[in-house]
Amino acid sequence: MPMETFFSFLEKRVDDCSSLLCVGLDPHVSDLSAPTADAALAFCLNLVKQTAPYAAAFKPNAAFFEVFGPKGWTVLKQVISAIQDESDRMGSMIPVILDAKRGDIASTAEAYAQSAFGKLGAHCITLSPYLGKDSIDPFLTNQEKGVFLLCKTSNPGAGDLQDLLVTTDDGPQTTIVGRSSSIVPLYEHVACLAQTWNTRNNIGLVVGATQPEALTRVRAAAPDLWFLAPGVGAQGGDLETALKAGLRQDGKGMLLPISRGISRAANPGRAAAEFRDEIISIQYELRHSS
Amino acid sequence: MPMETFFSFLEKRVDDCSSLLCVGLDPHVSDLSAPTADAALAFCLNLVKQTAPYAAAFKPNAAFFEVFGPKGWTVLKQVISAIQDESDRMGSMIPVILDAKRGDIASTAEAYAQSAFGKLGAHCITLSPYLGKDSIDPFLTNQEKGVFLLCKTSNPGAGDLQDLLVTTDDGPQTTIVGRSSSIVPLYEHVACLAQTWNTRNNIGLVVGATQPEALTRVRAAAPDLWFLAPGVGAQGGDLETALKAGLRQDGKGMLLPISRGISRAANPGRAAAEFRDEIISIQYELRHSS
């Protein structure tokens, strides 16, 4: 029997619910009935209850809990426990991706991993790649826990660093200043590194759904990895274009996080079901047009 | 009268205590009398009390508080309040740099800024530059609050991204693949960006004290900026070499964070005084040898 890993758990859940939808749990103060941690809890518990049948994963963003101070961390843990309860009830484990974008070194990274996986009970965390491999290692030692590394994000400033052309030993070589090298955008090099580092099937990449060209390049550089692809809906990313550019050959390999598009809908459960179904129908078309 | 900014506050404190020492508050579980948030509080309060006269700044690392869950956040706030009380008692404000290495976009970055500056009462935060300018902006709007951007870190994996050669329009130009460009390490480009972005005197850079060549290059690229230069002591950085490479022309512009070198000393107050005095003596030598 193959070893269980974070991504084998995720694929099991994806198959159970026929969904690539990742429900974002972002209790923005402006969306709450009151500016309190209790209101954030009620907001999240309602979303979890309504959308669980259609969610391949849940993604709480740490910032919107942290801003409530100690009480916010209590609520975050309660929300993750509620997802666990819902999973138990359905008999299908829904992974929790803590969107925290952490990145620190050595014993500090170990403390963050202990906080996210040990204390809070999340199954996966988003991390910045800027500090390199040893800042990520403490999150990889338990292969049942996973990470999504920031690669190409969907915000306007993403290009400040991520689009810079870097000379590396990856890919097709050309002679640059007398040396045989390849020139690729930084984000593509991050994808190459992640593909190499992923020896335990627990590393994925964050690639904005607003960037079809980047999705195509990253998919070529990292054919096996799962992508977390935010930006559909609120940020203007087109679902079909994104799926076409980023899905793996097996028709999976992408999670589409949606937050406000679901939480602000009159009926969040129905909105989640519709997103799930829209993704399925595009997957079907792509499978039968190729 | 000039507008007060984070770095004008810091310079005032540096002058008040003749110190470039930044005391790290890292309550590693292994260093505590018990594995509890209360023990972390006692550990930090003792360090604050003993070292305050010699500290240009304090730098609590969020991870070592976060790992205690909600109680850890209560303790972090108590520690920051205690530093404020100590400042009031001495009549000289000691800035608190929250070492959190956050990095997220738009409203999420705003929530982190609100958490660090509003709720916790920190004066400055460390941030990752990977998501670009708009991920940093929410931390800059109040110029009395500051940021240190990760530039060149002191860990083994720092080179995975930070040392990559990038083609940019900064610095001396050469022709690369038919286009006039300059090739610099990524970290140097980050320094150029930070120098440009620092229109309100509230952006500094994290540059490892273990990397004298990087300190020299970053100082050339960002002649005005403050550096937070970890790595002296535990990580093997040599204080004199680091100061020589990184100090500004005015003999200031660098904060030297020390954590275990002080917290594990038999007498942390004396250890802090000795670090402070060693820095002063090197500053004196450098001033009189040039």
Side-chain angles (χ1 to χ4, degrees), chain A residues 28 61-64 66-71 73-74 99-105 107-108 111-112 114-115 119 128-135 150-158 160-162 164-168 174 176-177 179 183 186-187 189-190 193 197 235 260, chain B residues 28 61-64 66-71 73-74 99-105 107-108 111-112 114-115 119 128-135 150-158 160-162 164-168 174 176-177 179 183 186-187 189-190 193 197 235 260:
Chain A
H28 287 266
N61 189 307
F64 299 113
E66 197 167 310
V67 76
F68 290 112
K71 193 76 200 295
W73 286 85
T74 303
D99 196 358
K101 302 186 178 69
R102 298 295 192 256
D104 211 313
I105 65 175
S107 59
T108 319
Y112 278 128
Q114 170 63 11
S115 170
K119 295 277 167 164
S128 167
Y130 192 72
L131 273 72
K133 180 66 159 46
D134 61 320
S135 70
L150 297 176
C151 176
K152 174 72 164 131
T153 55
S154 53
N155 61 312
D160 289 336
L161 267 72
Q162 299 163 26
L164 288 172
L165 295 176
V166 303
T167 59
T168 78
T174 179
I176 299 158
V177 200
R179 168 168 171 270
I183 295 195
L186 176 61
Y187 73 80
H189 183 63
V190 169
L193 290 173
W197 293 344
Q235 294 177 59
R260 297 182 182 193
Chain B
H28 287 266
N61 189 307
F64 298 114
E66 197 167 309
V67 77
F68 289 113
K71 192 78 199 296
W73 286 85
T74 303
D99 196 357
K101 302 185 177 70
R102 298 296 192 257
D104 211 313
I105 65 176
S107 59
T108 318
Y112 279 127
Q114 170 63 10
S115 170
K119 296 276 167 163
S128 166
Y130 193 72
L131 273 73
K133 179 67 158 48
D134 60 321
S135 71
L150 297 176
C151 177
K152 175 71 164 129
T153 55
S154 53
N155 60 312
D160 289 336
L161 266 72
Q162 298 162 27
L164 289 172
L165 296 176
V166 303
T167 58
T168 77
T174 178
I176 299 159
V177 200
R179 168 168 172 268
I183 295 195
L186 177 60
Y187 73 80
H189 183 63
V190 168
L193 290 174
W197 293 344
Q235 294 175 61
R260 296 183 182 194

Side-chain angles (χ1 to χ4, degrees), chain B residues 9-23 51-57 90 92-95 226 239 243 247 250-256 271-284 287:
Chain B
F9 288 129
L10 178 66
E11 299 215 12
K12 170 86 168 54
R13 173 62 193 162
V14 163
D15 292 342
D16 283 353
C17 65
S18 303
S19 179
L20 298 175
L21 173 65
C22 172
V23 176
T51 64
Y54 319 107
M90 296 192 305
S92 172
M93 196 268 272
I94 311 177
W226 274 85
L239 187 58
L243 287 169
L247 282 178
D250 67 358
K252 292 191 270 191
M254 269 179 100
L255 276 184
L256 286 303
E274 285 170 3
F275 272 115
R276 194 267 311 257
D277 293 345
E278 197 182 342
I279 295 168
I280 290 176
S281 117
I282 295 168
Q283 282 177 296
Y284 182 87
R287 200 159 45 233

Side-chain angles (χ1 to χ4, degrees), chain A residues 5-17 19 21 56-58 93-95 97 148 226-227 252-255:
Chain A
T5 65
F6 173 71
F7 285 108
S8 69
F9 288 129
L10 178 65
E11 299 216 13
K12 171 84 168 53
R13 173 62 192 162
V14 163
D15 292 342
D16 283 354
C17 65
S19 178
L21 173 65
F58 281 105
M93 196 267 271
I94 311 177
I97 302 163
F148 280 99
W226 274 85
F227 298 168
K252 293 192 269 192
M254 271 179 98
L255 277 183

